[in-house]
Amino acid sequence: MADQSSDLEHKTPDQLTQSEAQAELARLSDVLTRANRAYHGEDAPFLSDADYDRLRRRNSAIEERFPEFKREDSPSRQVGAAAADGFGKVTHAVRMLSLSNAFEDADVQGFADQINSYLNRTGPLEFTAEPKIDGLSLSLRYVDGQLVQAATRGDGEIGENVTANALTIDDIPQRLTGAPEVLEVRGEVYMSHDDFARLNQRQQDTGGKLFANPRNAAAGSLRQLDAAVTRSRPLRFFAYAWGETSAPLAETQAGAIERLGSLGFQTNPLTTVCRSIDDLLAHYRMIEQRRASLGYDIDGVVYKVNDLALQRRLGFRSTTPRWAIAHKFPAELAWTRLEGIDIQVGRTGALSPVARLMPVTVGGVVVSNATLHNEDYIAGRDSNGAPIRDGKDIRVGDWVQVYRAGDVIPKIADVDLSKRPDDATAFAFPTLCPECGSEAHREDGDSVRRCSGGLVCPAQAVERLKHFVSRGAFDIEGLGAKQIEMFFGDPTLPINEPADIFTLARRDQANLGKLQNRDGFGDKSVKKLFEAIENKRTIGLGRFLFALGIRHLGEVAGTNLARHFMSWTALLTTVDRAHEAGKRYLLAEEAVIAKRAADLSAGQRPKLQAVRDKIWSDPPVPADSRAAWDDLVAVNGVGAVLALSLVTTLAHPQERAVIERLVAELTILPPEAQATDSPVAGKTVVFTGTLEKMTRAEAKARAEALGAKVAGSVSAKTDLLIAGPGAGSKATKAQELGIKVIDEDDWLGLIEGL
Ligand code: IVH
């Protein structure tokens, strides 16, 4: 029996027979129930959070495959079985994205133009327009018509399991009839103005916490560990989108919303189909006029391409869809006094000025800080030296106008010079880092002043560590920004660089395990922390690269570099080889900037290409180094700026040593193969000539989504050339190299239905 069950554990849900599935569901129910009890009953938990999540996911996957064997005592019915910090975590089957913003009418036209140019079409497009509800988004998963899970957005990939709480909301149906087998309905949880006022009154009467605005009240009420508290809060829900569906809801956005309505969801009555930009703008103004009398908060109007086939073609950028945009209402404004300017030093050494304000309420939220961006901004200039705020600078003691746009950090819109105190002096931006005293420089063309101290600067070191442990990076449970602040510079058990995290347990042991006697740490929490750290000793290359906190290296670039180089060693070798070329690139950029300035002041059009070419070729950069550089900048999303940042960071002895000490502690895994069932996965493809059915951008995005690498030029590494009419030298070269050449229709046939 023991043997059989351990065998079962290694089978995927698809490999299980019916009786095996039943046995496995019984085992999982038993293990997970005991794990819950052990965890909540304050016993020593016997499963790590990762294992717990893995078993829960396995349980759900088997249930999805064999719904008839779902048990009455199934762990998936025990909603809200909480992981460490309160709620269980849920990995969204389809990522929950945000929206890009339009602020002016012209941005809306720009949005439509971009869509047409991406699709290589002209003429009017159909859009839906609907209010943008100011609440928090929620994803509701229905399987066979039964609500099985509700999850908050979280970071878009992983949210919190709030099923028990969602079940208390009247607007959320628990059962659907006539829905696709799997349906994830997405929408906004919000609170009406009346309900908000009554709730705050009740809170005041009972000495509870007052909420600043309906949005905060809705968020605070949904994220309650005790579902009974959520039940007592008047939450509502509008459905406006969907995630995974086993069958399409409709052919149009409007049709899908109507379908959601007929399934029993509340959908917003101000949703309309518009056939022109003028229509969209008219609907926007109508909604804006009715804003105050709607009875709930909205902060703009969302436009979505109506045709779902076009939505699919348009697809997504890294965090937003190309087919939708939020047209925001103008921000709310308030006047207050600027009491001081502090300088904060960030992860990349940027000196960021922060306005300390006399607290003031802006759009229902008390604001006491605002960003001042950089020294030019304070001085009243933009990055090109052109005046902003009519050239008015900002001084301590000034009356300033503050605004908030959406969730973003408050900003300063204007200064009232008539109220400026006589003794106010222009702000002198520091040229030394306030944290470590190193010189702070401005690079040509950069409006930001940066501390040159690198990891010598404690502010940079600590911010890098915080980034290192953050969600998209190593994401170590129990080791967040707060703990980093605590361990940084600690006299007995410091975490001063990433490698220190992975030697923490060893050092604590050598220290006779003193950590568990510290404030905030007990026997159990220390054990959990060390376990969480151990769990992350193995990490994917993309995440690892992002975690390093190298300037300009974001999540997308990390993933793309990982897919291209497949191993840390391969990447490092190329970066080292590219060093010479990188140095030369820097020289070339400096020469170009000087030449541009000289040409412009002589009243000539700048002639830059020759300058650049000369520096590259005189004396020639060694071919090997040039090839390595070209290899780097050919990676999708990696430009010369990031390549240079990689080259310089890894050539810096101290940075290099820090990274090498870290690498010695880790196992870095190659990225998982992408979309392996696609015939182009892992293949390098090149497009050339004119494409008639799609634009280059669309072709490239589509190919990449299917796991192909898209290169700009044909080489021995190319697997496939897609040649449209007018293909020239690339097609010839491909033929010489014996590379397969197909036309656009062949290509579409190849990827059809994927
Ligand atoms: S559509 C793929 N429609 O706004 C895009 N979002 O800023 C899915 N929101 O995360 C979102 N009202 O929480 C959409 N009518 C509406 C919305 C709406 C509010 C929120 C949503 C989203 C955020 C993006």
Side-chain angles (χ1 to χ4, degrees), residues 97-99 101 130-137 153 187-188 240-241 302 304 316 321 323-324 326:
L97 296 165
S98 51
L99 294 168
N101 292 323
E130 71 203 63
K132 182 169 188 301
I133 317 298
D134 198 6
L136 66 153
S137 47
R153 180 174 137 179
E188 204 84 352
Y240 53 64
V302 183
K304 300 173 185 169
F316 304 92
W323 43 263

PDB file of all heavy atoms in Angstrom, residues 97-99 101 130-137 153 187-188 240-241 302 304 316 321 323-324 326, ligand 1:
ATOM      1  N   LEU A  97      -4.089  41.667 -15.155  1.00  0.00           N
ATOM      2  CA  LEU A  97      -3.258  42.772 -15.626  1.00  0.00           C
ATOM      3  C   LEU A  97      -3.782  44.110 -15.160  1.00  0.00           C
ATOM      4  O   LEU A  97      -4.880  44.211 -14.624  1.00  0.00           O
ATOM      5  CB  LEU A  97      -3.223  42.743 -17.149  1.00  0.00           C
ATOM      6  CG  LEU A  97      -2.559  41.488 -17.679  1.00  0.00           C
ATOM      7  CD1 LEU A  97      -2.856  41.313 -19.133  1.00  0.00           C
ATOM      8  CD2 LEU A  97      -1.064  41.547 -17.441  1.00  0.00           C
ATOM      9  N   SER A  98      -2.991  45.144 -15.392  1.00  0.00           N
ATOM     10  CA  SER A  98      -3.532  46.477 -15.143  1.00  0.00           C
ATOM     11  C   SER A  98      -3.759  47.147 -16.493  1.00  0.00           C
ATOM     12  O   SER A  98      -3.582  46.525 -17.538  1.00  0.00           O
ATOM     13  CB  SER A  98      -2.594  47.277 -14.251  1.00  0.00           C
ATOM     14  OG  SER A  98      -1.307  47.235 -14.763  1.00  0.00           O
ATOM     15  N   LEU A  99      -4.155  48.390 -16.466  1.00  0.00           N
ATOM     16  CA  LEU A  99      -4.478  49.101 -17.700  1.00  0.00           C
ATOM     17  C   LEU A  99      -3.521  50.254 -17.887  1.00  0.00           C
ATOM     18  O   LEU A  99      -3.108  50.892 -16.914  1.00  0.00           O
ATOM     19  CB  LEU A  99      -5.904  49.662 -17.611  1.00  0.00           C
ATOM     20  CG  LEU A  99      -7.040  48.649 -17.561  1.00  0.00           C
ATOM     21  CD1 LEU A  99      -8.345  49.320 -17.174  1.00  0.00           C
ATOM     22  CD2 LEU A  99      -7.179  47.961 -18.912  1.00  0.00           C
ATOM     23  N   ASN A 101      -2.912  54.141 -19.154  1.00  0.00           N
ATOM     24  CA  ASN A 101      -3.792  55.287 -18.927  1.00  0.00           C
ATOM     25  C   ASN A 101      -3.765  56.288 -20.066  1.00  0.00           C
ATOM     26  O   ASN A 101      -2.736  56.483 -20.709  1.00  0.00           O
ATOM     27  CB  ASN A 101      -3.360  56.031 -17.661  1.00  0.00           C
ATOM     28  CG  ASN A 101      -3.610  55.200 -16.419  1.00  0.00           C
ATOM     29  OD1 ASN A 101      -4.614  54.490 -16.341  1.00  0.00           O
ATOM     30  ND2 ASN A 101      -2.698  55.266 -15.469  1.00  0.00           N
ATOM     31  N   GLU A 130     -16.952  52.016 -20.513  1.00  0.00           N
ATOM     32  CA  GLU A 130     -17.642  51.750 -19.244  1.00  0.00           C
ATOM     33  C   GLU A 130     -16.888  52.437 -18.113  1.00  0.00           C
ATOM     34  O   GLU A 130     -15.695  52.711 -18.245  1.00  0.00           O
ATOM     35  CB  GLU A 130     -17.682  50.241 -19.000  1.00  0.00           C
ATOM     36  CG  GLU A 130     -16.313  49.673 -18.649  1.00  0.00           C
ATOM     37  CD  GLU A 130     -16.168  48.184 -18.926  1.00  0.00           C
ATOM     38  OE1 GLU A 130     -16.264  47.795 -20.107  1.00  0.00           O
ATOM     39  OE2 GLU A 130     -15.948  47.440 -17.968  1.00  0.00           O
ATOM     40  N   PRO A 131     -17.548  52.712 -16.999  1.00  0.00           N
ATOM     41  CA  PRO A 131     -16.854  53.385 -15.899  1.00  0.00           C
ATOM     42  C   PRO A 131     -15.710  52.533 -15.344  1.00  0.00           C
ATOM     43  O   PRO A 131     -15.795  51.304 -15.349  1.00  0.00           O
ATOM     44  CB  PRO A 131     -17.942  53.550 -14.830  1.00  0.00           C
ATOM     45  CG  PRO A 131     -19.227  53.385 -15.534  1.00  0.00           C
ATOM     46  CD  PRO A 131     -18.970  52.481 -16.697  1.00  0.00           C
ATOM     47  N   LYS A 132     -14.674  53.200 -14.895  1.00  0.00           N
ATOM     48  CA  LYS A 132     -13.590  52.503 -14.204  1.00  0.00           C
ATOM     49  C   LYS A 132     -13.890  52.604 -12.717  1.00  0.00           C
ATOM     50  O   LYS A 132     -13.830  53.685 -12.127  1.00  0.00           O
ATOM     51  CB  LYS A 132     -12.244  53.154 -14.520  1.00  0.00           C
ATOM     52  CG  LYS A 132     -11.075  52.445 -13.875  1.00  0.00           C
ATOM     53  CD  LYS A 132      -9.767  52.962 -14.443  1.00  0.00           C
ATOM     54  CE  LYS A 132      -8.580  52.152 -13.981  1.00  0.00           C
ATOM     55  NZ  LYS A 132      -8.403  52.102 -12.539  1.00  0.00           N
ATOM     56  N   ILE A 133     -14.251  51.471 -12.138  1.00  0.00           N
ATOM     57  CA  ILE A 133     -14.698  51.446 -10.745  1.00  0.00           C
ATOM     58  C   ILE A 133     -13.477  51.543  -9.825  1.00  0.00           C
ATOM     59  O   ILE A 133     -12.490  50.844 -10.033  1.00  0.00           O
ATOM     60  CB  ILE A 133     -15.434  50.119 -10.435  1.00  0.00           C
ATOM     61  CG1 ILE A 133     -16.391  49.737 -11.557  1.00  0.00           C
ATOM     62  CG2 ILE A 133     -16.150  50.182  -9.096  1.00  0.00           C
ATOM     63  CD1 ILE A 133     -17.486  50.699 -11.812  1.00  0.00           C
ATOM     64  N   ASP A 134     -13.578  52.377  -8.803  1.00  0.00           N
ATOM     65  CA  ASP A 134     -12.447  52.545  -7.894  1.00  0.00           C
ATOM     66  C   ASP A 134     -12.600  51.608  -6.697  1.00  0.00           C
ATOM     67  O   ASP A 134     -13.057  52.017  -5.634  1.00  0.00           O
ATOM     68  CB  ASP A 134     -12.382  54.014  -7.445  1.00  0.00           C
ATOM     69  CG  ASP A 134     -11.027  54.346  -6.871  1.00  0.00           C
ATOM     70  OD1 ASP A 134     -10.120  53.492  -6.931  1.00  0.00           O
ATOM     71  OD2 ASP A 134     -10.869  55.470  -6.358  1.00  0.00           O
ATOM     72  N   GLY A 135     -12.259  50.372  -6.903  1.00  0.00           N
ATOM     73  CA  GLY A 135     -12.341  49.393  -5.815  1.00  0.00           C
ATOM     74  C   GLY A 135     -11.135  48.496  -5.890  1.00  0.00           C
ATOM     75  O   GLY A 135     -10.031  48.988  -6.122  1.00  0.00           O
ATOM     76  N   LEU A 136     -11.327  47.186  -5.724  1.00  0.00           N
ATOM     77  CA  LEU A 136     -10.181  46.294  -5.914  1.00  0.00           C
ATOM     78  C   LEU A 136     -10.643  45.094  -6.722  1.00  0.00           C
ATOM     79  O   LEU A 136     -11.795  44.670  -6.604  1.00  0.00           O
ATOM     80  CB  LEU A 136      -9.559  45.861  -4.586  1.00  0.00           C
ATOM     81  CG  LEU A 136     -10.368  44.986  -3.670  1.00  0.00           C
ATOM     82  CD1 LEU A 136      -9.432  44.159  -2.805  1.00  0.00           C
ATOM     83  CD2 LEU A 136     -11.227  45.870  -2.773  1.00  0.00           C
ATOM     84  N   SER A 137      -9.749  44.580  -7.574  1.00  0.00           N
ATOM     85  CA  SER A 137     -10.229  43.562  -8.490  1.00  0.00           C
ATOM     86  C   SER A 137     -10.201  42.193  -7.837  1.00  0.00           C
ATOM     87  O   SER A 137      -9.424  41.909  -6.917  1.00  0.00           O
ATOM     88  CB  SER A 137      -9.428  43.583  -9.790  1.00  0.00           C
ATOM     89  OG  SER A 137      -8.076  43.628  -9.520  1.00  0.00           O
ATOM     90  N   ARG A 153      -6.076  40.261  -6.748  1.00  0.00           N
ATOM     91  CA  ARG A 153      -5.113  40.364  -7.825  1.00  0.00           C
ATOM     92  C   ARG A 153      -3.684  40.081  -7.365  1.00  0.00           C
ATOM     93  O   ARG A 153      -2.893  39.498  -8.090  1.00  0.00           O
ATOM     94  CB  ARG A 153      -5.203  41.768  -8.417  1.00  0.00           C
ATOM     95  CG  ARG A 153      -4.238  41.938  -9.522  1.00  0.00           C
ATOM     96  CD  ARG A 153      -4.442  43.250 -10.185  1.00  0.00           C
ATOM     97  NE  ARG A 153      -3.128  43.801 -10.402  1.00  0.00           N
ATOM     98  CZ  ARG A 153      -2.882  44.933 -10.975  1.00  0.00           C
ATOM     99  NH1 ARG A 153      -3.863  45.681 -11.360  1.00  0.00           N
ATOM    100  NH2 ARG A 153      -1.670  45.349 -11.149  1.00  0.00           N
ATOM    101  N   GLY A 187     -13.803  41.137 -11.891  1.00  0.00           N
ATOM    102  CA  GLY A 187     -14.502  42.405 -11.738  1.00  0.00           C
ATOM    103  C   GLY A 187     -14.012  43.134 -10.506  1.00  0.00           C
ATOM    104  O   GLY A 187     -12.971  42.787  -9.947  1.00  0.00           O
ATOM    105  N   GLU A 188     -14.779  44.123 -10.090  1.00  0.00           N
ATOM    106  CA  GLU A 188     -14.332  45.019  -9.032  1.00  0.00           C
ATOM    107  C   GLU A 188     -15.232  44.903  -7.803  1.00  0.00           C
ATOM    108  O   GLU A 188     -16.459  44.968  -7.923  1.00  0.00           O
ATOM    109  CB  GLU A 188     -14.373  46.460  -9.574  1.00  0.00           C
ATOM    110  CG  GLU A 188     -13.450  47.403  -8.866  1.00  0.00           C
ATOM    111  CD  GLU A 188     -12.021  47.354  -9.390  1.00  0.00           C
ATOM    112  OE1 GLU A 188     -11.691  46.466 -10.215  1.00  0.00           O
ATOM    113  OE2 GLU A 188     -11.223  48.210  -8.957  1.00  0.00           O
ATOM    114  N   TYR A 240     -16.620  42.726 -15.132  1.00  0.00           N
ATOM    115  CA  TYR A 240     -16.280  43.429 -16.376  1.00  0.00           C
ATOM    116  C   TYR A 240     -15.258  42.690 -17.239  1.00  0.00           C
ATOM    117  O   TYR A 240     -14.849  43.189 -18.273  1.00  0.00           O
ATOM    118  CB  TYR A 240     -15.791  44.847 -16.084  1.00  0.00           C
ATOM    119  CG  TYR A 240     -14.662  44.920 -15.065  1.00  0.00           C
ATOM    120  CD1 TYR A 240     -13.428  44.345 -15.323  1.00  0.00           C
ATOM    121  CD2 TYR A 240     -14.836  45.581 -13.848  1.00  0.00           C
ATOM    122  CE1 TYR A 240     -12.402  44.412 -14.405  1.00  0.00           C
ATOM    123  CE2 TYR A 240     -13.812  45.648 -12.915  1.00  0.00           C
ATOM    124  CZ  TYR A 240     -12.615  45.059 -13.203  1.00  0.00           C
ATOM    125  OH  TYR A 240     -11.602  45.115 -12.291  1.00  0.00           O
ATOM    126  N   ALA A 241     -14.782  41.529 -16.782  1.00  0.00           N
ATOM    127  CA  ALA A 241     -13.754  40.825 -17.564  1.00  0.00           C
ATOM    128  C   ALA A 241     -13.746  39.357 -17.172  1.00  0.00           C
ATOM    129  O   ALA A 241     -14.531  38.935 -16.314  1.00  0.00           O
ATOM    130  CB  ALA A 241     -12.386  41.458 -17.324  1.00  0.00           C
ATOM    131  N   VAL A 302     -13.150  53.166 -19.018  1.00  0.00           N
ATOM    132  CA  VAL A 302     -12.298  52.166 -19.667  1.00  0.00           C
ATOM    133  C   VAL A 302     -12.818  51.885 -21.076  1.00  0.00           C
ATOM    134  O   VAL A 302     -14.016  51.650 -21.258  1.00  0.00           O
ATOM    135  CB  VAL A 302     -12.281  50.844 -18.861  1.00  0.00           C
ATOM    136  CG1 VAL A 302     -11.335  49.841 -19.513  1.00  0.00           C
ATOM    137  CG2 VAL A 302     -11.863  51.104 -17.421  1.00  0.00           C
ATOM    138  N   LYS A 304     -12.452  49.388 -24.407  1.00  0.00           N
ATOM    139  CA  LYS A 304     -11.924  48.076 -24.807  1.00  0.00           C
ATOM    140  C   LYS A 304     -12.326  47.790 -26.248  1.00  0.00           C
ATOM    141  O   LYS A 304     -13.463  48.063 -26.629  1.00  0.00           O
ATOM    142  CB  LYS A 304     -12.506  46.968 -23.914  1.00  0.00           C
ATOM    143  CG  LYS A 304     -12.168  47.144 -22.438  1.00  0.00           C
ATOM    144  CD  LYS A 304     -12.897  46.151 -21.555  1.00  0.00           C
ATOM    145  CE  LYS A 304     -12.607  46.484 -20.085  1.00  0.00           C
ATOM    146  NZ  LYS A 304     -13.459  45.746 -19.153  1.00  0.00           N
ATOM    147  N   PHE A 316      -0.958  41.275 -25.327  1.00  0.00           N
ATOM    148  CA  PHE A 316      -0.537  42.021 -24.152  1.00  0.00           C
ATOM    149  C   PHE A 316       0.884  42.520 -24.262  1.00  0.00           C
ATOM    150  O   PHE A 316       1.708  41.888 -24.879  1.00  0.00           O
ATOM    151  CB  PHE A 316      -0.621  41.114 -22.920  1.00  0.00           C
ATOM    152  CG  PHE A 316      -1.991  40.545 -22.736  1.00  0.00           C
ATOM    153  CD1 PHE A 316      -2.321  39.320 -23.291  1.00  0.00           C
ATOM    154  CD2 PHE A 316      -2.955  41.257 -22.053  1.00  0.00           C
ATOM    155  CE1 PHE A 316      -3.603  38.805 -23.145  1.00  0.00           C
ATOM    156  CE2 PHE A 316      -4.235  40.753 -21.910  1.00  0.00           C
ATOM    157  CZ  PHE A 316      -4.559  39.520 -22.454  1.00  0.00           C
ATOM    158  N   PRO A 321      -2.897  45.132 -21.407  1.00  0.00           N
ATOM    159  CA  PRO A 321      -3.360  44.695 -22.724  1.00  0.00           C
ATOM    160  C   PRO A 321      -3.194  45.823 -23.745  1.00  0.00           C
ATOM    161  O   PRO A 321      -3.260  46.995 -23.379  1.00  0.00           O
ATOM    162  CB  PRO A 321      -4.846  44.406 -22.503  1.00  0.00           C
ATOM    163  CG  PRO A 321      -5.234  45.172 -21.302  1.00  0.00           C
ATOM    164  CD  PRO A 321      -4.006  45.369 -20.466  1.00  0.00           C
ATOM    165  N   TRP A 323      -5.336  46.138 -26.081  1.00  0.00           N
ATOM    166  CA  TRP A 323      -6.676  46.399 -26.588  1.00  0.00           C
ATOM    167  C   TRP A 323      -7.552  47.210 -25.638  1.00  0.00           C
ATOM    168  O   TRP A 323      -8.745  47.373 -25.877  1.00  0.00           O
ATOM    169  CB  TRP A 323      -7.374  45.083 -26.937  1.00  0.00           C
ATOM    170  CG  TRP A 323      -7.175  43.988 -25.916  1.00  0.00           C
ATOM    171  CD1 TRP A 323      -6.250  42.989 -25.966  1.00  0.00           C
ATOM    172  CD2 TRP A 323      -7.900  43.795 -24.696  1.00  0.00           C
ATOM    173  NE1 TRP A 323      -6.357  42.179 -24.854  1.00  0.00           N
ATOM    174  CE2 TRP A 323      -7.353  42.655 -24.062  1.00  0.00           C
ATOM    175  CE3 TRP A 323      -8.951  44.470 -24.059  1.00  0.00           C
ATOM    176  CZ2 TRP A 323      -7.831  42.178 -22.835  1.00  0.00           C
ATOM    177  CZ3 TRP A 323      -9.418  43.997 -22.841  1.00  0.00           C
ATOM    178  CH2 TRP A 323      -8.853  42.863 -22.246  1.00  0.00           C
ATOM    179  N   ALA A 324      -6.982  47.683 -24.536  1.00  0.00           N
ATOM    180  CA  ALA A 324      -7.803  48.467 -23.597  1.00  0.00           C
ATOM    181  C   ALA A 324      -6.991  49.624 -23.038  1.00  0.00           C
ATOM    182  O   ALA A 324      -5.752  49.587 -23.021  1.00  0.00           O
ATOM    183  CB  ALA A 324      -8.292  47.585 -22.456  1.00  0.00           C
ATOM    184  N   ALA A 326      -7.454  53.002 -19.900  1.00  0.00           N
ATOM    185  CA  ALA A 326      -8.303  53.712 -18.936  1.00  0.00           C
ATOM    186  C   ALA A 326      -8.136  55.206 -19.185  1.00  0.00           C
ATOM    187  O   ALA A 326      -7.032  55.728 -19.097  1.00  0.00           O
ATOM    188  CB  ALA A 326      -7.880  53.356 -17.520  1.00  0.00           C
TER     189      ALA A 326
HETATM  190  S1  IVH B   1     -10.545  45.769 -17.349  1.00  0.00           S
HETATM  191  C1  IVH B   1      -6.952  43.183 -18.743  1.00  0.00           C
HETATM  192  N1  IVH B   1     -12.540  47.282 -16.611  1.00  0.00           N
HETATM  193  O1  IVH B   1      -8.639  48.977 -12.996  1.00  0.00           O
HETATM  194  C2  IVH B   1      -7.607  44.352 -18.124  1.00  0.00           C
HETATM  195  N2  IVH B   1     -10.683  47.152 -15.167  1.00  0.00           N
HETATM  196  O2  IVH B   1      -6.017  50.018 -13.665  1.00  0.00           O
HETATM  197  C3  IVH B   1      -8.617  43.996 -17.115  1.00  0.00           C
HETATM  198  N3  IVH B   1     -10.922  48.416 -13.089  1.00  0.00           N
HETATM  199  O3  IVH B   1      -6.856  46.049 -12.332  1.00  0.00           O
HETATM  200  C4  IVH B   1      -9.189  45.169 -16.447  1.00  0.00           C
HETATM  201  N4  IVH B   1     -12.951  49.156 -13.488  1.00  0.00           N
HETATM  202  O4  IVH B   1      -8.998  46.516 -10.964  1.00  0.00           O
HETATM  203  C5  IVH B   1     -11.320  46.835 -16.297  1.00  0.00           C
HETATM  204  N5  IVH B   1     -14.418  48.520 -16.040  1.00  0.00           N
HETATM  205  C6  IVH B   1     -13.207  48.075 -15.744  1.00  0.00           C
HETATM  206  C7  IVH B   1     -12.570  48.421 -14.545  1.00  0.00           C
HETATM  207  C8  IVH B   1     -11.298  47.953 -14.298  1.00  0.00           C
HETATM  208  C9  IVH B   1     -11.954  49.139 -12.619  1.00  0.00           C
HETATM  209  C10 IVH B   1      -9.649  48.232 -12.385  1.00  0.00           C
HETATM  210  C11 IVH B   1      -9.141  46.819 -12.332  1.00  0.00           C
HETATM  211  C12 IVH B   1      -7.788  46.878 -12.968  1.00  0.00           C
HETATM  212  C13 IVH B   1      -7.433  48.311 -12.820  1.00  0.00           C
HETATM  213  C14 IVH B   1      -6.418  48.721 -13.850  1.00  0.00           C
END
